[in-house]
Amino acid sequence: MAKRKLIATAAMGIEALVAKEVRDLGYTCEVENGRVYIDAEMEDIPRLNLWLRTADRVKLVVAEFKATTFTELFDGVVELPWTDLMPWDARFIVDGRSVKSKLFSIRDCQKITEKAIVDAMQRGYDKPGEWLPKTGAYYPIEVALLKDVATITIDTSGDALHRRGYRELHSQAPLKETMAAAMIQLTNWKPDMPFYDVFTGSGTLAIEAALIGRNIAPGLNREFCSQDWPCVPKKAWYDAINEANEKAEWDKPLKIYGIDLDPRMVKLAKDNAELADVRDAITFVHSDAAALKPKEEYGVIIGNPPYGERLQTEEEIIDLYERIGQQFAKYPGYSVYMLTSYEDFEKAYGRPATKRRKLYNGNIETQYYQFFGKRPPRRPLESTETK
């Protein structure tokens, strides 16, 4: 099949993680702000949607061209091979964005783009003047203008990729599944190590760790709009799903713990883990994070603690950070990773982070504080000498 350009969109600050996932799947790519351009084929759309843990969406690039007038935009869109991509009854909508471009009216850009697509479909299917029924498969189209360059894409994911299908209910300040996966990938955790999610909430970090630890594709429990597209071979979907099932280590034992002070959150996290098919991989505990007493000498402690953005007072936040800082310091073999928007976190926690990284939890700018623990002693290498 012919090579295509795909875009994996990403939250600011984690594009490199998305690119690594793409390359690990065997594709070449280029990184830009908020997106990763991928060289692939239509039949690769299923694998990318199933496996990308930190990307927001996978979009098919239909075309990129310069457009400084509505005539240029219309002419550029109408000449595209829409009938190769969409059937006559395609149910499509056109969304729009414009940044630093002469065509700044988003609504007008959407209308011009839709009119051009309709004209192209009527011409291509030899049905001049007929209304498009728009009763078939769903095609979310976007016209995005940046510095007078129009990029026309179709979203192959449908619902954003953070919607894994396991979190029907969530806590008041939910952490997106894609961001949770990114946080885990930025740690030194390996599946044979203990993993403590000490503010588990709806269980997202613990569940994402279990999916990673067992090599379970994050998209296995959900559907994608491109599953109904004739231009994406059905066999590609069957093959990708079979591959994901074969690679999953469903029964692999893991030492993952989800801890929360609110018993309702513990119950919710258990229910979500059940929906994700990883309930047996996680031990959920009703407890205070500041009372943590790990059984093992080495491991990872991770958390998305309260920021004070909603109900907590600053005094309560400071007290919490002081207490966890004092408690976690008792376990030097543990690396600690905390995501918060509280600017004086290190002061309250009691020591400076080894490393910090700016991340966006939704629209909230946060810092990801990383405190590296002692490394476990290396195991002696087995002798390769023959007896």
Side-chain angles (χ1 to χ4, degrees):
M1 298 183 72
K3 282 288 184 181
R4 293 277 187 174
K5 278 285 185 185
L6 300 173
I7 295 175
T9 61
M12 296 294 289
I14 64 171
E15 298 93 340
L17 293 178
V18 175
K20 183 181 184 304
E21 290 185 47
V22 169
R23 293 179 182 123
D24 287 347
L25 287 170
Y27 305 101
T28 59
C29 63
E30 296 178 7
V31 180
E32 292 188 3
N33 286 338
R35 57 179 55 192
V36 177
Y37 280 89
I38 308 167
D39 292 315
E41 300 172 355
M42 296 295 287
E43 62 189 3
D44 296 315
I45 287 173
R47 291 189 74 229
L48 290 163
N49 273 295
L50 281 169
W51 282 103
L52 291 182
R53 298 183 190 277
T54 56
D56 289 333
R57 297 177 182 277
V58 177
K59 296 183 176 184
L60 170 66
V61 179
V62 184
E64 291 182 306
F65 55 87
K66 190 174 181 63
T68 57
T69 67
F70 288 124
T71 298
E72 288 178 343
L73 178 61
F74 182 91
D75 291 345
V77 173
V78 80
E79 294 301 324
L80 298 176
W82 292 106
T83 54
D84 293 342
L85 298 171
M86 300 194 301
W88 172 250
D89 66 349
R91 179 168 52 95
F92 68 91
I93 60 168
V94 179
D95 198 4
R97 289 185 293 123
S98 181
V99 178
K100 298 179 180 178
S101 297
K102 293 182 177 65
L103 300 180
F104 57 84
S105 172
I106 296 173
R107 176 176 290 185
D108 288 334
C109 289
Q110 290 172 263
K111 287 181 178 179
I112 291 294
T113 301
E114 181 171 2
K115 185 178 187 306
I117 295 171
V118 170
D119 282 11
M121 295 282 280
Q122 290 171 336
R123 184 190 310 167
Y125 284 103
D126 195 21
K127 297 183 179 183
E130 290 192 33
W131 289 97
L132 274 63
K134 293 190 176 183
T135 56
Y138 181 48
Y139 292 78
I141 297 169
E142 181 183 67
V143 51
L145 287 124
L146 175 62
K147 297 179 180 178
D148 296 326
V149 174
T151 301
I152 312 298
T153 60
I154 310 177
D155 181 5
T156 73
S157 303
D159 285 339
L161 294 180
H162 77 271
R163 296 184 181 276
R164 313 285 206 222
Y166 65 75
R167 198 171 67 172
E168 293 183 355
L169 300 172
H170 51 71
S171 56
Q172 285 186 325
L175 180 70
K176 281 187 176 181
E177 294 86 336
T178 45
M179 182 55 66
M183 288 171 62
I184 296 165
Q185 292 185 25
L186 290 170
T187 73
N188 63 355
W189 181 68
K190 298 290 185 287
D192 61 346
M193 299 168 62
F195 180 98
Y196 288 87
D197 171 15
V198 291
F199 299 98
T200 203
S202 53
T204 310
L205 279 164
I207 292 170
E208 290 297 317
L211 295 176
I212 291 171
R214 288 184 168 176
N215 199 35
I216 299 171
L220 263 181
N221 272 347
R222 56 160 289 173
E223 296 180 347
F224 307 91
C225 66
S226 51
Q227 285 178 256
D228 297 324
W229 295 1
C231 61
V232 181
K234 288 291 185 186
K235 185 177 184 303
W237 284 105
Y238 296 142
D239 290 347
I241 292 170
N242 287 337
E243 177 196 29
N245 279 313
E246 289 173 1
K247 288 187 174 181
E249 301 176 71
W250 298 103
D251 299 320
K252 182 175 182 177
L254 299 169
K255 299 176 183 177
I256 298 176
Y257 304 88
I259 298 165
D260 204 282
L261 188 58
D262 187 339
R264 295 169 300 176
M265 290 297 100
V266 174
K267 170 67 166 59
L268 177 60
K270 288 179 179 179
D271 292 343
N272 287 336
E274 191 75 42
L275 287 172
D277 293 328
V278 292
R279 177 65 188 87
D280 64 312
I282 308 168
T283 301
F284 288 103
V285 181
H286 170 219
S287 181
D288 186 348
L292 179 68
K293 296 179 180 179
K295 299 176 183 179
E296 304 86 351
E297 188 174 357
Y298 299 95
V300 163
I301 298 170
I302 192 169
N304 177 35
Y307 304 166
E309 299 284 343
R310 293 181 181 265
L311 302 178
Q312 296 81 12
T313 65
E314 185 171 8
E315 290 76 16
E316 290 172 328
I317 295 299
I318 292 173
D319 177 66
L320 172 63
Y321 292 168
E322 286 178 346
R323 289 189 296 112
I324 63 172
Q326 293 166 5
Q327 185 67 13
F328 297 165
K330 299 175 183 178
Y331 304 95
Y334 277 75
S335 292
V336 179
Y337 303 84
M338 292 287 141
L339 183 77
T340 176
S341 64
Y342 186 69
E343 294 181 357
D344 291 326
F345 174 77
E346 290 165 301
K347 180 180 178 181
Y349 188 77
R351 63 186 174 111
T354 312
K355 190 176 180 180
R356 54 192 287 184
R357 183 171 182 148
K358 183 193 294 184
L359 296 175
Y360 286 88
N361 184 10
N363 294 323
I364 303 172
E365 181 180 319
T366 66
Q367 291 289 334
Y368 192 36
Y369 296 94
Q370 304 168 56
F371 303 86
F372 298 161
K374 292 182 179 179
R375 292 184 178 181
R378 291 186 177 181
R379 297 174 183 173
L381 295 175
E382 294 183 5
S383 174
T384 57
E385 295 180 5
T386 55
K387 294 182 179 180

